[in-house]
Structure formats: structure tokens, C-alpha cells
């Protein structure tokens, strides 16, 4: 599935829709360059799960956990990870648990990702405007 968005709100709204449909144990891999909208998508996704608080990329930790939604949300941002050995202890409990996991920059930890993930890839296309994003959603088996 490919969705085109033309402002941040549309990307946020796609996140909301997917958050509403999220199921326990789902792992969503978010890829795309810095500033492409991974966190905007995540904020919508959290709202779709019914999470009230502000959601930002975790700054001092790799993962931020939210418990006040329909399902627990584990929000990873592995951008600053240097090596797979720096990965959060206990990450398997998130990936294979009863919550939903969102991973920004998941391609940096490809070797430890579960087999079944939902991949969300966001790309810009400057020819279509500064706020244009092409978002590909794929189920990986
Ligand atoms: P990332 O987490 O991928 O590094 P962010 O979500 O933090 O990126 O930031 C995306 C930036 O791009 C925000 O400033 C947002 O307002 C802007 N933006 C412009 N157009 C869009 C769009 N169509 N979808 C998402 N974000 C957009
Ligand atoms: Mg981000």
C-alpha cells in the first residue's frame, strides 16, 4: 500500500488510523531519512491507541514505554545506536510481548528484528513540494 501525504497532519492521521487498527504483538519498522516524519507518524499512532501524553523521540534512552493506551506502546529510536550490543536490555520482551512496538531507524538493527513486521518507509520528493511524503506500508513475512 502506498499513501501520499501533502502535510504533517495527513501523516499523523495515517498514524492514527494504524494505531486504531494495531494488534497485540505487532512490530512496526519505520524507515526514512532524518526529518521525514517518522516521529510525526508515531505521534499519530500513539493517539490512535488512545495514549494521552506527549510522544517524542526518546532522548536519553533507546526506548520509551507508554501504558495508558488500548495496548502498551514501546517506542524505539535506534538512530544513535553504534552497535547491536548497545541495544536495550530486554528488547525481546517488547518485540515478542503483548504490546505494540514502533522502531524508528529499524534498518540499523536489522539482524535482531522479528520475522513478521509491518514496514513503513517514508520518502520525500522535492519535485512534488517540500511537504510531500510518499509512505509505503508493507507486511513482511
Ligand atoms: P523523523 O522522526 O523522521 O526524523 P520528524 O517526524 O521528527 O522526522 O519530523 C518531520 C518534519 O517534517 C516535521 O517538522 C514535520 O512538520 C515536517 N513535515 C512536512 N511535511 C510533512 C508530511 N507530509 N508528513 C510528515 N511530516 C512532514
Ligand atoms: Mg524521529
Amino acid at each position: 500500500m502506498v499513501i501520499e501525504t501533502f502535510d504533517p497532519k495527513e501523516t499523523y492521521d495515517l498514524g492514527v488510523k494504524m494505531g486504531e487498527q494495531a494488534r497485540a504483538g505487532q512490530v512496526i519498522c519505520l524507515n526514512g531519512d532524518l526529518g521525514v516524519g517518522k516521529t510525526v507518524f508515531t505521534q499519530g499512532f500513539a493517539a490512535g491507541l488512545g495514549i494521552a501524553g506527549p510522544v517524542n523521540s526518546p532522548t536519553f534512552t533507546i526506548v520509551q514505554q507508554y501504558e495508558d493506551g488500548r495496548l502498551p506502546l514501546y517506542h524505539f529510536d535506534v538512530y544513535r545506536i553504534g552497535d547491536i550490543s548497545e541495544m536495550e536490555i530486554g528488547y525481546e520482551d517488547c518485540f515478542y510481548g503483548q504490546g505494540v512496538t514502533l522502531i524508528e531507524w529499524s534498518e540499523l538493527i536489522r539482524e535482531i528484528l522479528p520475522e513478521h513486521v509491518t514496514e513503513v518507509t517514508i520518502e520525500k520528493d522535492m519535485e512534488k513540494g517540500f511537504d510531500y511524503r510518499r509512505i509505503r506500508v508493507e507486511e513482511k513475512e
Side-chain angles (χ1 to χ4, degrees), residues 42-59:
T42 300
Q43 289 165 340
F45 191 92
L49 277 172
I51 291 161
V55 173
N56 289 300
S57 270
T59 319

Side-chain angles (χ1 to χ4, degrees), residues 1 18 29 117-121 136-141:
M1 167 172 81
M18 288 181 64
C29 295
V117 299
T118 305
E119 210 166 81
V120 176
T121 309
R136 201 169 63 239
V137 180
E138 296 167 285
E139 294 297 324
K140 297 272 168 160
E141 297 302 322

Side-chain angles (χ1 to χ4, degrees), residues 38-39 57 77 104:
K38 299 181 294 298
T39 298
S57 270
D77 186 331
E104 296 192 43

Side-chain angles (χ1 to χ4, degrees), residues 4 19 28 32 40 65 69 108 131 135:
E4 296 179 297
I28 299 181
V40 168
Q65 185 170 339
L108 297 177
D131 291 344
I135 306 175

